[in-house]
Amino acid sequence: MKTTVTEIIEKSIAKFANYDAVIWPEKDEIIRRTYREMGEDIARIRSGLHEAGFTEDAHIATVGRSSYPWVTTFYGALTGNSVIVPIDMNLSDDDIIDELNRGDVVCAFVDPIKKTLLERIEAECPKIRKIVLLTDKDGEYSYETWKAFGVGAPLFEIQPADPDKVAAIMFTSGTTGVSKGVMMTQGSLGADAVNMYYHLAPGSVDLSVLPIHHAFCLTVDWIKAFEQGVTVAINDSIGHLVKNIKKFEPHVILMVPLMIETIYKKMKSVNPLVPKKLVGSQVFGKNLKHIICGGARLDPKFIDEFKKYGVDIWMGYGSTETSPVVSFNGERGIKWDSLGRPIDNTEVKIIDGEICVRGDIVMKGYYNMPEETNKVLKDGWFYTGDLGYLDEDGYLYMSGRKKNLIILANGENISPEEIEGAFSTVPIIGEIVVVGQGTNLRALIYPDPEKAGKMKAEQVQKEIDKAIRDYNKKQPSYRRLAGYELRDEPFPKTSTRKIKRDLITMF
């Protein structure tokens, strides 16, 4: 029997009623909501949506940062059998309007930061009948006013959910091409949360730092954590991360590789006479023992380095189309250089070098894009577009993206991610992208601004020259870098810090 997201949240509200569900900083205070209080607010949102005529299958958008109003709106819509459409608020206004329209949204909950967009939504999104601001301030459009409306409406009970029913349409961030609306079902999200095997005690703290509209954050922080009665602490700003780690003392944090690389470089800059375990405790607090990493490939050497600071990195693999976690290093076995073994009830096989996935976690398809759907869903298998292999023990390894593969004029095939990873611990290199040019490989490099800012330009170039020479000495001729170019600005990125390679021009 498939577990649905609605079943998970309904059971958690009852089972963990008196535990804190969500906490967040507000000035010098920590604001708290228990599972019982959260359940009451979810019911108010659900009842308000139903009373306003947004019934089963209505598409409800959330455009905003991680917040308690966002989370209760998400569950309010899902438990009433509506379809939630999370949208990245950091997109351009044009792209937000486009995804609202392509997602067939009829009601939008919008962060007050995007208040200037309301007139455009009203003018350019003809299907949207109601806009609500995700704020606790009273007003015609506010979340608090909407909750009050829900209190006055007849109670609309939690609706039983069909596991195969579409629960969410999540637009891929799109490192290349137009974004696609991934249709995730009640059962695919539920299966991913239930079958991802790691355990925290009720009341443990999960510090949520990634964008909430992203599948990795949404499923692990806001569904898996709730399934276990965990308290989710909202990190209000990436600039406040270290301060909030000290404030909330989390037991687990989700991160993407770029965050891990940045933290490592800062820890490495500490006086080497200071014991690494002491540095780790100062940065991560007394409770944090595990960081769950996903979203992109992480060089395994960071796992070894973080161990020295007293923290294990559990690497996983997945994509939005798989709800998202496919494999995971955790309590059931670990190979530190791998991406773990497939989670329960999920099959992985390699077809012509490509990682393919089958199971309850796989999406229903791309919304209103049948041709794109047919390209990746074949005979029950989802073709991920990632290159990799399974070892003799069933652990998964990834070498790069199929679409990023560099085919040199001499016929050699190169995964640029593998070469870029070799420079991830070089202090002077902030970001690097490797491309092919004829029979050679070349690099575009953005120096680390903090490190480079303290050095003359000649010294920066000298250190980068040395890093490339050291790398080339260990490589066969076809994997050596023939040259590089420095850039003054960081690479354009998605909201999950993946570099948008299609926007990069060089040489």
Side-chain angles (χ1 to χ4, degrees), residues 291-313:
I291 292 173
I292 299 175
C293 181
R297 183 181 182 275
L298 177 72
D299 192 305
K301 63 184 149 191
F302 285 104
I303 297 172
D304 294 331
E305 291 299 320
F306 267 63
K307 277 179 174 293
K308 298 173 186 176
Y309 293 93
V311 175
D312 285 339
I313 297 175

Side-chain angles (χ1 to χ4, degrees), residues 27 35 50 52-53 163 248 351 356 396 499:
K27 295 182 180 178
Y35 276 86
H50 186 261
F248 295 119
I351 301 175
C356 298
L396 181 63
I499 291 172

Side-chain angles (χ1 to χ4, degrees), residues 310-372:
V311 175
D312 285 339
I313 297 175
W314 287 355
M315 275 297 299
Y317 167 80
S319 68
T320 305
E321 290 87 344
T322 55
S323 305
V325 180
V326 171
S327 64
F328 182 60
N329 269 310
E331 297 168 10
R332 286 186 171 176
I334 293 173
K335 283 192 178 181
W336 295 112
D337 61 338
S338 79
L339 297 170
R341 286 186 292 202
I343 64 174
D344 288 349
N345 302 311
T346 299
E347 297 177 75
V348 172
K349 90 174 162 179
I350 310 301
I351 301 175
D352 297 327
E354 184 174 353
I355 300 170
C356 298
V357 182
R358 183 168 66 181
D360 294 339
I361 63 173
V362 173
M363 68 170 180
K364 204 163 191 174
Y366 297 121
Y367 186 64
N368 287 339
M369 300 179 81
E371 290 185 10
E372 294 297 323

